[in-house]
């Protein structure tokens, strides 16, 4: 079965600190995505990637960086965490990008204090 | 870019009745429209989709309708059951790479 694993599952960070969220997939999928979920905003795309060593900006990339060192791994980096980045973050993978099913990880609940 | 509007933020129906969730999109080039379900405290999983070459698709109690002229699509859940309670997200793909999601509809099934 398709598997997307996120770590950590929850994190408390201090304002101005660096946060790295990790995602690992065993689906052999080319596409990987980072979304954030906030009440009232639904899911918004932060960054995505369709090949290793390359990332693309989504709709809300400001304040976030992404890294895709291999097909299986995709990280989201908050260099200077801010209060407004408190949210639940979901990683997803897809074999054919936006034209096919996305498989989501369990999510990471990030609280920035 | 694509924008997807999900019209009902909350929908409450009695068990056994039908529920309808409506979405509109802006990009005429969009051709793929999936729906995802998020149960309380859990992640999202795919439930059903429709592509622009058809206007209706059914999978058991789920029916998706697509009106390309109005740029509107909807999810119909018939004979609702308690396990249908969840947040439902519609989405649209305006190209090969990405999906744009609506804000979600909280569906409540009343006994």
């Amino acid at each position: 079965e398709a598997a997307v694993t996120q770590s950590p599952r929850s994190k408390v960070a201090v304002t101005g600190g660096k946060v790295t969220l990790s995602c690992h997939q065993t689906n052999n999928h080319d596409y990987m995505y980072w979304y954030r979920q906030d009440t009232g905003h639904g899911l918004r795309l932060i960054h995505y990637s369709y090949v290793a060593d390359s990332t693309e900006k989504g709709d809300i990339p400001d304040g976030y960086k992404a890294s895709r060192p291999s097909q299986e791994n995709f990280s989201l980096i908050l260099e200077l965490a801010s209060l407004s980045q408190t949210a639940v973050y979901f990683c997803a993978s897809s074999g054919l990008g936006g034209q096919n099913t996305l498989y989501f990880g369990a999510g990471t609940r990030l609280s920035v204090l | 870019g694509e924008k997807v509007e999900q019209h009902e933020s909350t929908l409450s129906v009695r068990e056994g009745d039908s529920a309808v969730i409506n979405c509109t999109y802006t990009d005429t080039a969009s051709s793929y429209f999936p729906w995802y379900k998020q149960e309380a405290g859990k992640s999202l999983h795919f439930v059903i989709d429709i592509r622009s070459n058809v206007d209706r698709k059914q999978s058991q109690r789920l029916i998706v309708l697509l009106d390309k002229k109005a740029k509107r699509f909807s999810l119909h859940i018939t004979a609702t059951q308690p396990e249908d309670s969840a947040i439902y997200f519609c989405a649209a793909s305006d190209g090969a790479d990405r999906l744009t999601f609506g804000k979600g509809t909280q569906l409540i099934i009343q006994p």
Side-chain angles (χ1 to χ4, degrees):
Chain A
E1 183 170 321
V4 179
T5 306
Q6 292 183 233
S7 61
R9 290 295 313 279
S10 67
K11 184 169 181 66
V12 178
V14 295
T15 304
K18 182 177 180 178
V19 177
T20 300
L21 307 183
S22 299
C23 181
H24 178 79
Q25 56 108 350
T26 58
N27 304 327
N28 198 32
H29 285 167
D30 288 329
Y31 285 83
M32 295 188 74
Y33 302 85
W34 277 106
Y35 286 91
R36 67 175 277 176
Q37 182 176 27
D38 303 89
T39 303
H41 288 282
L43 283 168
R44 293 182 290 173
L45 181 63
I46 307 171
H47 285 288
Y48 67 100
S49 168
Y50 54 84
V51 67
D53 295 322
S54 178
T55 63
E56 305 293 331
K57 293 181 179 179
D59 297 320
I60 53 163
D62 293 346
Y64 302 94
K65 290 184 180 178
S67 174
R68 182 93 182 268
S70 63
Q71 186 195 42
E72 297 80 16
N73 296 293
F74 191 37
S75 297
L76 186 68
I77 303 141
L78 291 65
E79 295 276 4
L80 295 169
S82 67
L83 294 173
S84 64
Q85 293 176 312
T86 293
V88 178
Y89 292 83
F90 287 101
C91 176
S93 75
S94 172
L96 290 174
Q99 295 289 313
N100 212 326
T101 303
L102 265 60
Y103 294 88
F104 284 86
T108 296
R109 184 173 296 276
L110 175 65
S111 297
V112 182
L113 306 178
Chain B
E2 175 67 277
K3 288 181 172 49
V4 177
E5 185 172 350
Q6 202 159 339
H7 297 266
E8 300 84 7
S9 58
T10 305
L11 179 62
S12 182
V13 301
R14 290 204 176 185
E15 183 178 347
D17 288 350
S18 292
V20 182
I21 302 171
N22 296 287
C23 290
T24 53
Y25 61 99
T26 58
D27 191 340
T28 54
S30 287
S31 60
Y32 176 63
F33 307 92
W35 290 84
Y36 286 80
K37 178 181 181 182
Q38 184 179 33
E39 294 169 44
K42 296 191 177 180
S43 187
L44 290 82
H45 67 268
F46 170 86
V47 289
I48 192 170
D49 61 10
I50 190 167
R51 297 185 189 273
S52 58
N53 58 339
V54 297
D55 54 19
R56 184 183 191 277
K57 183 174 180 179
Q58 181 165 2
S59 175
Q60 299 181 318
R61 294 186 296 107
L62 303 179
I63 301 169
V64 180
L65 302 178
L66 174 62
D67 181 343
K68 292 186 291 290
K69 194 178 259 188
K71 288 188 280 187
R72 180 173 59 219
F73 59 113
S74 58
L75 174 66
H76 299 244
I77 305 173
T78 62
T80 52
Q81 300 172 1
E83 55 265 36
D84 295 328
S85 292
I87 301 174
Y88 290 83
F89 292 92
C90 62
S93 177
D94 60 352
D97 291 346
R98 46 198 282 177
L99 272 177
T100 300
F101 284 84
K103 293 183 178 181
T105 296
Q106 174 78 60
L107 177 61
I108 300 167
I109 308 300
Q110 295 178 329

